[in-house]
Amino acid sequence: MSPQSRRHGEAGNVAPPNALFDEFLHAARELLAVRSPLDAELLVSDLLGTWWPQRHHTIGGAGVEQLVGEGLVEYAAGQRSPAALALLSGIACLGTSRQAAAAEQAAITLIDAGVRTPRWADHLGMVTAANCYVNPDEWGDQDELICVYSYDGEEPHALVCVIDYNSSGMIKDGWVSSQVDKLLDHCQRVSAARKGARPEDEFREVDPPQARKMLEAALAATDEAEDPLVSDTFAARHAFIRSRIRALPPSPGRGARAKRLWTTERRALLAAEFLASDEAEELSDRRAASRCTDRIIDFGCDQDSGRPLRMSPFKVQTFMLTWLPRKVVLSAADQNAMPHVVNAWIRWSGRKRGLAEEAIAQTLDTLFDSMSTFTRIYRDPAELGIDEELAARLLPDSDLEALPRRVFAFPLLVGKHGGVDLSKLDPADPSDRRLLLAADHDTKTGSPSAAGVGRHIDRHLALADRLWRGSPSALWDAAQRLLDTGEDRHMVLHALMDVLEAAGGDEAALEAALRELATGLTDDDINGLGNMDP
């Protein structure tokens, strides 16, 4: 598809060229040749997945789902052709709520105008859910969630979604099988062949409302990620997965994600139970052991869907060689203690979960294999380019990932200004922050008499607080994109403050504006959509 120039609407928003919509309508002609509603839905899902990888892009405040998805519905509504009606019928079942409502109304208009309806369209919307099953892998790293559906008793099919707990509990793959009985029989046979499997580790049936709750949380994790590690075919199945989740009965009450149930008190109780166990008795440095235990529990609660007791070879390797070196600053004592604490935790948690000795031994082998690499790749705070005292001031929570954004927010932490020794100020203390920012602006005091200067420092304080907390994560992402374009720090700070002020406390609007800052779809990006196989 040759490049097309953008078309600007009255509101100034950029819209994709009609040639792109023509490509989609041309692809939609395949819908006229299929007889099965399932095949039709899969084709439409494939088409809607074309722009899913770019879902976080915005142009003029409009997201891609609005710009391309709703734009396609509007364009198809004006084409009185069977292909347009077939496409609208599919989007009415598979699109976002806004797309579905607009597509349904447009389809009714075309039907009333005499446009021929595809035979399979009568079955759309008649999907009913049957049984749902969970098929865990040997280590609990992943669950295959299998949900069985039919069209009012006809054409049974199963949707299989892979939930990866080593990737924040997101759906990373999904596919459809019409061989339902064969699929379920295979899962049962594989599960039965496992030795020593506990009931929760076996292939089992779950209530459809519980399956919906699990899938909704997992799909949200995938959609929220900027660049999720999903299969090559996931985008093509995304809309189908979303629609099948909606077909499951909702669970009573929204509930909370598992990791949110792990309060500080509950984590502390679990740590105390472990430290009092026989497995932890051999740990000599009890203070270091306590700090390391907190890290293990935090990783399990926050990164493994609230499952701190679950330890698998892959999870141990990720914790030791990826999460700790990237995320946490450990003291020398904690670095020395960590492998020993993890060793004790694997044995203790394995005993509590009733794991076979062979499984515990295999996980310990992975830990032993990781130890030398952990020692080699884990960076000492002195290697961060700042002294230990400064690292302690910037990282009181040991959050290594926060270091660059906190240095960006508070670049002046030593020296004297207005008679104040800056090295004695705590950037985590709100009252000290004003003095540090005043020094950065070379004002005479932390409470400037000039009202304009005071308000200016207040704006910097609001931004610095968010950068310190990393809330939202899109804030620092936007700052880095602007810095990469060659903008100096001062200009980047003011650009971020302007966006923050314009959002007026609306977090959704703030995130959308930050994603648009110094980014967005180019002409080639928009037209590149048309070069993808819909």
Side-chain angles (χ1 to χ4, degrees):
M1 181 175 172
S2 61
Q4 303 286 332
S5 60
R6 293 178 180 176
R7 178 170 55 86
H8 294 263
E10 294 180 1
N13 292 337
V14 180
N18 286 347
L20 173 60
F21 295 145
D22 283 337
E23 287 282 337
F24 289 137
L25 281 179
H26 180 77
R29 294 178 183 175
E30 292 186 41
L31 293 169
L32 303 177
V34 303
R35 297 183 178 182
S36 161
L38 177 60
D39 290 341
E41 287 194 80
L42 292 174
L43 279 171
V44 173
S45 179
D46 197 352
L47 187 149
L48 295 178
T50 303
W51 57 84
W52 181 82
Q54 294 158 319
R55 64 199 176 281
H56 291 311
H57 284 297
T58 59
I59 299 177
V64 172
E65 287 290 359
Q66 178 183 348
L67 187 67
V68 181
E70 295 176 28
L72 177 59
V73 171
E74 181 181 357
Y75 186 78
Q79 312 299 311
R80 299 199 172 195
S81 68
L85 177 55
L87 178 59
L88 290 169
S89 299
I91 295 177
C93 292
L94 298 176
T96 64
S97 56
R98 287 168 57 100
Q99 293 167 7
E104 182 178 12
Q105 185 58 51
I108 292 173
T109 301
L110 292 186
I111 293 172
D112 290 343
V115 178
R116 179 168 54 88
T117 306
R119 283 177 290 179
W120 47 260
D122 292 339
H123 298 278
L124 295 182
M126 298 177 64
V127 175
T128 55
N131 297 337
C132 298
Y133 307 86
V134 173
N135 185 35
D137 71 0
E138 181 179 3
W139 297 103
D141 288 327
Q142 295 182 345
D143 279 340
E144 286 181 344
L145 198 53
I146 304 168
C147 299
V148 181
Y149 303 86
S150 69
Y151 294 94
D152 198 20
E154 300 294 328
E155 200 170 357
H157 56 279
L159 170 66
V160 184
C161 292
V162 179
I163 301 177
D164 189 343
Y165 297 106
N166 292 315
S167 296
S168 302
M170 66 175 61
I171 297 178
K172 66 184 306 179
D173 198 4
W175 65 90
V176 179
S177 173
S178 58
Q179 303 294 319
V180 177
D181 292 339
K182 184 177 180 180
L183 171 67
L184 298 179
D185 180 64
H186 171 75
C187 293
Q188 289 171 335
R189 284 188 287 105
V190 171
S191 178
R194 294 179 189 158
K195 295 180 180 180
R198 300 171 302 144
E200 58 266 39
D201 295 330
E202 296 176 349
F203 176 74
R204 65 191 186 277
E205 188 172 350
V206 293
D207 292 335
Q210 176 63 19
R212 175 169 179 163
K213 183 179 179 181
M214 294 173 65
L215 288 171
E216 283 179 333
L219 187 62
T222 308
D223 287 339
E224 290 166 6
E226 287 291 337
D227 189 20
L229 297 176
V230 296
S231 68
D232 293 339
T233 59
F234 177 80
R237 294 291 172 262
H238 177 267
F240 186 89
I241 293 170
R242 180 177 59 198
S243 72
R244 286 301 185 266
I245 293 175
R246 292 194 297 237
L248 293 169
S251 58
R254 290 181 299 172
R257 287 192 187 182
K259 66 181 183 181
R260 293 176 182 167
L261 299 177
W262 280 91
T263 62
T264 302
E265 293 77 12
R266 187 180 175 193
R267 298 183 193 207
L269 287 173
L270 183 64
E273 181 185 355
F274 163 67
L275 292 170
S277 68
D278 292 340
E279 288 82 2
E281 185 177 1
E282 62 195 47
L283 300 174
S284 57
D285 189 338
R286 303 300 289 183
R287 285 192 175 185
S290 178
R291 292 190 295 268
C292 292
T293 301
D294 290 341
R295 299 300 175 193
I296 296 171
I297 293 173
D298 288 344
F299 180 73
C301 292
D302 300 333
Q303 305 297 318
D304 190 20
S305 300
R307 301 190 296 175
L309 292 177
R310 188 188 76 84
M311 300 298 281
S312 72
F314 187 91
K315 181 179 177 179
V316 168
Q317 187 177 57
T318 300
F319 176 71
M320 295 292 292
L321 303 185
T322 302
W323 191 77
L324 281 175
R326 176 180 59 81
K327 183 70 176 174
V328 180
V329 173
L330 295 174
S331 66
D334 291 356
Q335 289 181 53
N336 292 330
M338 184 61 77
H340 304 288
V341 178
V342 174
N343 181 312
W345 184 274
I346 291 171
R347 291 183 284 114
W348 175 74
S349 63
R351 174 171 60 82
K352 282 183 66 70
R353 297 177 64 215
L355 294 183
E357 289 296 327
E358 181 182 353
I360 296 174
Q362 190 172 343
T363 307
L364 289 172
D365 287 343
T366 300
L367 172 65
F368 298 146
D369 292 341
S370 302
M371 283 183 179
S372 61
T373 304
F374 172 76
T375 302
R376 176 172 54 82
I377 68 173
Y378 195 88
R379 294 181 294 175
D380 188 90
E383 297 178 10
L384 300 176
I386 56 177
D387 61 37
E388 186 174 347
E389 182 180 349
L390 197 56
R393 291 168 67 197
L394 286 168
L395 304 174
D397 51 3
S398 301
D399 185 357
L400 181 58
E401 282 189 330
L403 180 61
R405 68 173 188 268
R406 290 177 181 175
V407 170
F408 177 74
F410 299 100
L412 195 59
L413 293 169
V414 296
K416 289 191 175 182
H417 186 269
V420 176
D421 186 354
L422 301 181
S423 65
K424 303 298 184 183
L425 300 180
D426 181 4
D429 186 328
S431 60
D432 286 355
R433 286 178 178 177
R434 175 173 284 276
L435 293 171
L436 289 168
L437 291 175
D440 186 32
H441 284 72
D442 198 26
T443 61
K444 297 301 182 184
T445 173
S447 301
S449 56
V453 176
R455 285 195 298 271
H456 185 73
I457 296 295
D458 287 340
R459 296 179 71 207
H460 275 276
L461 275 170
L463 175 61
D465 176 66
R466 283 183 174 270
L467 286 169
W468 183 273
R469 293 183 288 113
S471 176
S473 59
L475 186 67
W476 179 234
D477 293 338
Q480 293 177 91
R481 288 197 303 271
L482 288 170
L483 291 169
D484 289 342
T485 66
E487 292 285 357
D488 62 31
R489 173 179 174 272
H490 179 77
M491 296 300 295
V492 173
L493 285 171
H494 279 259
L496 296 176
M497 288 190 298
D498 289 343
V499 171
L500 191 61
E501 192 169 53
D506 185 336
E507 294 298 313
L510 174 61
E511 294 219 25
L514 288 170
R515 288 195 178 102
E516 186 178 0
L517 200 61
T519 187
L521 294 174
T522 64
D523 289 337
D524 290 339
D525 289 329
I526 287 288
N527 290 285
L529 291 171
N531 293 326
M532 302 180 187
D533 292 330

